[in-house]
Amino acid sequence: MILNNISIVNYKNILMANVDLSPKLNCLLGQNGMGKTNFLDAVHLLSFCRSAHTAVDSQIISHEQDFFMVEGQYVTENGDAENIYCGMKRGQKKHFKRNKKEYKRLSEHIGLIPLIMVSPRDSAIIDGGSEERRRLMDMVISQFDNAYLLALNNYNKALQQRNALLKMEEEPDPALLEVLEMQMAAEGEKVYAKRTVFVKEFVPVFQQIYSHICNESEKVDIEYVSHGQRGDLLEVIQRDRAKDRILGYSLHGIHRDDLNMSLGGYPMKKEGSQGQNKSFAIALKLAQFDFLKRTNSSTIPLLLLDDIFDKLDAARVEQIVKLVSGNSFGQIFMTDTNRDHLDKILRHSSSEYRIFEVEHGDIHLKQ
């Protein structure tokens, strides 16, 4: 899938932009806080129906404005046109449309335009809570497996209902608790099985990419840890129901899954330097891209690279430049404050490119 043109109105600090894009490499240059990341976030919105950085949709709307709108003109590998629209008026619900037809459920859109975004916030995958690492798995699997997303949503609904019952002052109905636990177990087994297969296939790709970035000088690993590994999931969920009741939430289930990440056999969170942590996060995202590209044969994902060279030494920058300059990727969007990094990539690449300057939300093509 290629994004040929994007129109943005009142999206954070971008009051108005209409940008024709290169099918290969699009570079956005500018100082911090000028709107480069907001532009990438608008592209992300058209793939995932939500901002990558802002949880509340109304906070996307520019200050003192009444609405926002983002519209993308895409073309598929078969040459078919796709129009994707997202808009929202302050105080009203968000509208998301494909070719002028509004979706009944936003989940129906996920996977149509696969996308991987690499950003400074990816450090949370390593040093943040387990929900960040579960999100890493969910973001990839849901883009090629709608059944996974459905099972995950169903599990989370049952989990929320069970937690609500556990918080009640009066004793909850045991029969209703059991119904919800059976739903959690049935859907959770599906999620666990798909995550298990994903991690098994994903880790070797990740290790290969990290090895390339560090010139084969370091060894990394990822281990999937789940309550699903403890036996029958229904029994695991029900095992500490009395303790769950005291605490007011569910202690066991696939909502507690995690990924143990290591460097040289030691926990990455404690062992890694800033450069190693960033290399680890970048390798994770590029491995996600490779996995999606191989799994979803209908289209090559978009790749968004937001300020990826900060805190990396020259050797690692050089290896990443070689990676992203190759022919393995489709359309790339890249931001940086440093023109030197961009020039290195352009020297390695024969692909078509466009360079845009971003200043105070204004985006214009650099001649």
Side-chain angles (χ1 to χ4, degrees), residues 38-65:
N38 292 341
F39 179 88
L40 295 190
D41 196 46
V43 177
H44 178 281
L45 176 87
L46 294 178
S47 282
F48 291 102
C49 310
R50 62 175 179 81
S51 163
H53 307 308
T54 305
V56 180
D57 290 328
S58 61
Q59 294 177 1
I60 293 171
I61 303 173
S62 303
H63 296 309
E64 301 179 1
Q65 301 300 321

Side-chain angles (χ1 to χ4, degrees), residues 58 68 71 96 160 164 179 201 240 258 274 301 315:
S58 61
F68 84 83
E71 187 171 19
F96 206 95
Q160 290 169 4
V179 168
E201 296 180 2
D240 286 324
D258 205 347
Q274 281 189 324

Side-chain angles (χ1 to χ4, degrees), residues 5 10 14 33-34 59 62 105 109 129 150 280 292 333 348 361:
N5 173 274
N10 299 333
I14 304 175
M34 292 293 104
Q59 294 177 1
S62 303
R105 293 188 302 272
H109 178 70
L150 179 62
F280 198 101
L292 272 182
F333 298 82
H348 279 85

Side-chain angles (χ1 to χ4, degrees), residues 118 122-123 125-126 276-286:
V118 185
D122 294 335
S123 61
I125 298 173
I126 298 168
Q276 288 170 325
N277 283 349
K278 184 144 192 179
S279 300
F280 198 101
I282 291 172
L284 282 172
K285 289 302 189 79
L286 294 182

Side-chain angles (χ1 to χ4, degrees), residues 200-216:
K200 183 179 180 180
E201 296 180 2
F202 176 81
V203 170
V205 178
F206 158 73
Q207 290 173 323
Q208 182 180 4
I209 292 174
Y210 187 92
S211 179
H212 179 91
I213 292 175
C214 73
N215 272 318
E216 301 183 3

Side-chain angles (χ1 to χ4, degrees), residues 43 51 125 149 218 228 241 295 298 303 344-345 348 362:
V43 177
S51 163
I125 298 173
L149 186 57
E218 299 161 4
R241 186 193 282 180
T295 306
S298 62
L303 180 63
K344 286 181 181 179
I345 289 178
H348 279 85
D362 290 330

Side-chain angles (χ1 to χ4, degrees), residues 236-276:
V236 172
I237 291 170
Q238 293 179 330
R239 189 171 297 162
D240 286 324
R241 186 193 282 180
K243 191 173 182 180
D244 291 354
R245 175 79 174 113
I246 295 171
L247 295 173
Y249 60 88
S250 303
L251 283 169
H252 298 97
I254 54 95
H255 62 286
R256 305 298 295 272
D257 284 5
D258 205 347
L259 295 172
N260 289 341
M261 299 175 169
S262 61
L263 173 68
Y266 297 95
M268 189 70 199
K269 185 183 293 188
K270 298 179 180 179
E271 189 73 11
S273 66
Q274 281 189 324
Q276 288 170 325

